[in-house]
Amino acid sequence: MNRKMFPVSALILGLFLASCGGKAVQRTDESAAIDLSGDWNDTDSRLVAEEMIRDSLARPWLEEFTNAKKARPRVIIGAVLNRSSEHINTQTFTKDLEKELLNSGKVKFVASKEQREEVREEKADQQAHASVDTAKSIGQEKAADYMVKGQINTIMDAAGGKQLKFYQVELEMIDIESSEKVWIGQKKIKKLVERKGHKL
């Protein structure tokens, strides 16, 4: 082969391969339900959060508190554990829960433990560096009345190129003062995944 022709041939070959194996990216509606692998995804997180928070806010604990205290209860999201066999980012799920609770207008929402620590650091800094009339007071935080905790479990079954994925999400609303559970919610999702020509 002519040595001078080699770089040109390599360039043409590279362009050809790039055109064949190029990546296509298409933007879609964020609310569109798209299942690629059949695993837990953003649609599951959003729909489960919407349904479970809607159920929790329709239960007696909310009306009982509101009538007794003449105020909306303050709620905080605690740990939601991933006990499934998949990697599930529970942070996005808890954010969906927070959004549904806060946007309902029926409860007030307390910042997370990590967020409160950051705010406290800021207030401590203000005591030393901000003017007296603008520095925010320490010890004036509003405590939460209820905590939401939960877990995500899965049961998997596979045979003959088909896989059954069963998700069970359990949430509980706990009265922080009395430690009583005032609401328990459960949502189940069952998915049948079939991949022709692939062994699951």
Side-chain angles (χ1 to χ4, degrees):
M1 176 182 293
N2 187 329
R3 290 175 181 271
K4 294 182 180 180
M5 293 295 294
F6 177 77
V8 176
S9 301
L11 177 60
I12 295 173
L13 178 61
L15 292 172
F16 174 77
L17 292 175
S19 65
C20 293
K23 183 183 293 182
V25 178
Q26 180 181 0
R27 298 194 183 280
T28 62
D29 188 326
E30 64 175 16
S31 62
I34 300 175
D35 281 293
L36 298 178
S37 65
D39 291 348
W40 175 275
N41 59 24
D42 64 308
T43 302
D44 298 316
S45 177
R46 176 172 52 83
L47 295 179
V48 170
E50 289 176 358
E51 184 170 331
M52 296 193 78
I53 294 304
R54 187 164 54 245
D55 178 68
S56 74
L57 296 177
R59 299 299 177 175
W61 69 272
L62 178 58
E63 186 176 357
E64 290 173 0
F65 181 96
T66 304
N67 291 339
K69 305 289 185 180
K70 306 302 181 188
R72 289 177 290 169
R74 295 186 181 85
V75 179
I76 189 171
I77 299 290
V80 176
L81 304 178
N82 176 21
R83 298 192 185 282
S84 76
S85 55
E86 291 181 8
H87 170 72
I88 294 178
N89 185 347
T90 56
Q91 292 288 327
T92 60
F93 181 55
T94 56
K95 280 298 176 187
D96 284 336
L97 294 174
E98 289 183 12
K99 183 186 71 175
E100 291 304 315
L101 278 169
L102 189 60
N103 291 346
S104 72
K106 296 181 178 179
V107 302
K108 293 184 177 180
F109 212 82
V110 176
S112 68
K113 181 179 180 180
E114 293 75 17
Q115 291 170 328
R116 293 200 307 276
E117 289 175 352
E118 188 175 357
V119 170
R120 287 167 186 162
E121 289 179 5
E122 171 60 24
K123 284 196 285 191
D125 185 76
Q126 288 183 3
Q127 306 309 307
H129 302 288
S131 61
V132 175
D133 58 323
T134 61
K136 301 301 178 287
S137 303
I138 294 176
Q140 297 299 313
E141 297 176 18
K142 303 296 184 184
D145 301 299
Y146 296 94
M147 175 180 284
V148 177
K149 293 177 62 65
Q151 60 185 10
I152 303 173
N153 297 291
T154 54
I155 299 174
M156 302 293 179
D157 191 19
K162 295 182 179 179
Q163 186 175 33
L164 185 64
K165 299 187 175 191
F166 178 77
Y167 300 87
Q168 182 165 303
V169 183
E170 298 166 346
L171 295 177
E172 299 176 340
M173 185 81 72
I174 301 172
D175 185 323
I176 296 177
E177 180 74 28
S178 65
S179 295
E180 295 174 320
K181 295 181 180 180
V182 298
W183 168 76
I184 296 177
Q186 190 179 75
K187 173 65 179 175
K188 299 175 181 176
I189 300 174
K190 185 180 287 187
K191 297 181 179 181
L192 179 61
V193 182
E194 182 175 3
R195 290 176 182 155
K196 296 180 179 178
H198 294 273
K199 187 176 181 180
L200 295 173

